[in-house]
Amino acid sequence: MNKKSTLILLAVCLFGVFNLSAQKPVRHFLSLNASTASTGQIRSTSHYNFSPFFGGSENLGIGYQLYANHFTFSIGTEIGASVITNYSKEPITIGKKTIPEGTLELLGNGHMNFPVMIGGEFNKFYFKVGVVPAYNILNAATIIGPVLNPEDPHPYKTTKKLLYQNPFQLYGRVEIGGSFGHFTPFEDTDQPRARFYLGGFVDFGITKDMPKVSRGSYKNRIPYAISDEGYQDVLHQIQIGLRFTCLLNFAK
């Protein structure tokens, strides 16, 4: 009798779970996104006095997103490019070479990001948190000249580009935003073909940019981050920006 009652109770519980799942459908989407961000470097340790000046990053992405009972999970790929500038806040002497105050350096890279995000969505509001492994396809740097020097601002007549090694980076990402346009609840039977979102995000590089090999020198100038790589400064990269996302309904 006890075994029979247990089986009946188990059957009722299973029926309840399946019934609950049926009332809260799982939705699958193809995700398309584009983002723009202000980018800079934060140096927790540095042997030279310089600061970030200006930076930007642009990305296009494609991926998959799941929705189930206000829970979201998404994975994808983003491809883009970043530009970062740093400038010396005082004259810097390394060996026999001196970098004037206000010397501006330009860094650039082409990269691929692979975000893995979880979050929640409630009516028009959503949030996501996750990690973003990144691979830099190409990195290059050049020094423009003491264009921010208060006494004698001028660019160098010739510049030399230097490729540098920094292929891998890992970011933590937080994103908050909302949908715009007419909102259709996910529980409704008739679902729209596309949903549109706009959100703000912060990416923070949680690994150290400490190269395995020396980045060398510009002979008459000093390369990348206006530093001698014998010191290997510890830095993090931060991005603050906006992301537009379009979710296309797989079922349509």
Side-chain angles (χ1 to χ4, degrees), residues 68-147:
N69 193 24
H70 301 294
F71 169 82
T72 64
F73 169 76
S74 60
I75 57 175
T77 301
E78 300 169 350
I79 186 167
S82 295
V83 172
I84 300 172
T85 54
N86 298 297
Y87 74 100
S88 58
K89 299 177 68 175
E90 63 183 10
I92 299 172
T93 300
I94 303 175
K96 297 181 180 180
K97 308 300 179 183
T98 299
I99 302 172
E101 178 184 355
T103 297
L104 190 68
E105 180 187 56
L106 176 67
L107 313 175
N109 69 58
H111 56 254
M112 293 186 69
N113 301 332
F114 305 94
V116 180
M117 309 288 291
I118 60 173
E121 188 162 337
F122 303 89
N123 293 323
K124 288 194 170 186
F125 168 80
Y126 79 89
F127 70 91
K128 296 179 181 179
V129 295
V131 294
V132 185
Y135 179 78
N136 286 347
I137 302 169
L138 179 66
N139 300 289
T142 189
I143 290 183
I144 298 174
V147 294

Side-chain angles (χ1 to χ4, degrees), residues 128-202:
K128 296 179 181 179
V129 295
V131 294
V132 185
Y135 179 78
N136 286 347
I137 302 169
L138 179 66
N139 300 289
T142 189
I143 290 183
I144 298 174
V147 294
L148 300 177
N149 190 303
E151 298 179 357
D152 183 24
H154 67 275
Y156 290 133
K157 293 182 179 179
T158 60
T159 60
K160 181 179 179 181
K161 297 181 180 65
L162 177 74
L163 298 179
Y164 63 89
Q165 295 187 8
N166 181 25
F168 296 104
Q169 180 69 289
L170 180 65
Y171 295 93
R173 174 176 292 178
V174 177
E175 183 174 342
I176 299 174
S179 65
F180 56 89
H182 176 73
F183 179 77
T184 301
F186 288 93
E187 291 75 18
D188 286 5
T189 303
D190 188 17
Q191 289 290 305
R193 185 178 299 275
R195 295 173 180 268
F196 302 98
Y197 299 84
L198 185 65
F201 71 93
V202 176

Side-chain angles (χ1 to χ4, degrees), residues 197-251:
Y197 299 84
L198 185 65
F201 71 93
V202 176
D203 285 359
F204 184 77
I206 55 178
T207 60
K208 299 176 181 179
D209 179 17
M210 299 183 70
K212 296 180 181 179
V213 297
S214 173
R215 293 181 176 126
S217 68
Y218 280 102
K219 294 183 179 179
N220 296 324
R221 295 152 196 164
I222 308 298
Y224 185 22
I226 315 178
S227 66
D228 180 341
E229 290 310 323
Y231 287 120
Q232 295 188 341
D233 294 348
V234 178
L235 67 84
H236 304 281
Q237 188 163 306
I238 187 170
Q239 299 184 23
I240 302 175
L242 294 173
R243 175 172 289 103
F244 167 79
T245 302
C246 173
L247 297 182
L248 298 177
N249 192 343
F250 278 174

